[in-house]
Amino acid sequence: MAEIKDPENTIIIELKDGPVVVELLSDVAPKHAERMKQLARAGKYDNVAFHRVIDGFMAQTGDVEHANMEKDYNPGRAGTGGSDLPDLPAEFSKLPHDRGTLGAARSQNPNSANSQFFINFKDNHFLNGQYTVYGRVLEGMEHVDKIMRGEPPANPDRMISVKVAADA
């Protein structure tokens, strides 16, 4: 596994094909990084489906309200929910939406990100300055590339578990 320099700001997402190690950019987007750690530590991301996966674009997940495949999974509503915590203000930066970066999913309102996020399959620079970048995949992008495609996928993949490396 990748050398983890800052376990408190590293997330390990277990997928069906293996672990994905994510460096949280707490210096760039502290509120978003903190929210991901908070939800991971509460087990909220475990078993949550990738509900929107567009080939050549990105894989979206994190709807802890409607997309938990072990509890009240609702494919028709997956992608419409968030957590019971308040929405986050945008934390835009100069960081580009490159392959492997995590972006905060949101509605039309830039300050509506909550629990959902996406992982970019390729450089998606048209998103720059419009969505908060708050993490990057250090290792395991080959596992992300194998996530089932679809909007929604017929048989969605899920995040089996999501842990803060300091706790793993």
Side-chain angles (χ1 to χ4, degrees):
M1 196 175 301
E3 181 190 341
I4 296 173
K5 295 180 175 71
D6 182 2
E8 183 57 31
N9 286 298
T10 304
I11 297 286
I12 301 169
I13 303 171
E14 194 64 43
L15 300 181
K16 73 180 185 321
D17 292 303
V20 178
V21 180
V22 175
E23 171 190 27
L24 293 177
L25 306 172
S26 58
D27 53 334
V28 175
K31 290 178 174 64
H32 287 76
E34 193 55 42
R35 174 64 54 86
M36 185 166 211
K37 292 190 293 187
Q38 188 177 3
L39 292 172
R41 285 190 160 121
K44 300 285 189 183
Y45 283 133
D46 296 353
N47 294 304
V48 172
F50 284 89
H51 64 270
R52 182 170 175 246
V53 186
I54 303 171
D55 200 32
F57 181 31
M58 57 92 222
Q60 186 171 333
T61 185
D63 181 348
V64 300
E65 186 176 359
H66 302 298
N68 183 324
M69 295 179 74
E70 298 294 318
K71 189 180 79 191
D72 302 327
Y73 178 57
N74 186 336
R77 303 241 7 237
T80 64
S83 73
D84 54 5
L85 301 168
D87 289 347
L88 295 167
E91 294 179 294
F92 298 148
S93 69
K94 298 279 187 224
L95 283 180
H97 281 266
D98 287 341
R99 172 173 164 75
T101 54
L102 263 68
R106 59 171 177 77
S107 68
Q108 292 297 103
N109 178 346
N111 299 311
S112 65
N114 187 293
S115 63
Q116 292 188 46
F117 64 93
F118 57 91
I119 303 171
N120 288 294
F121 285 131
K122 68 178 191 70
D123 294 354
N124 290 312
H125 293 173
F126 65 94
L127 299 173
N128 294 354
Q130 298 177 63
Y131 293 83
T132 300
V133 174
Y134 67 97
R136 70 169 63 95
V137 173
L138 296 176
E139 185 178 283
M141 207 46 211
E142 69 275 14
H143 307 314
V144 175
D145 288 334
K146 293 178 185 170
I147 294 170
M148 182 65 62
R149 306 309 200 250
E151 292 183 75
N155 295 299
D157 283 322
R158 68 178 84 185
M159 297 184 288
I160 297 165
S161 72
V162 180
K163 306 250 182 291
V164 178
D167 306 337

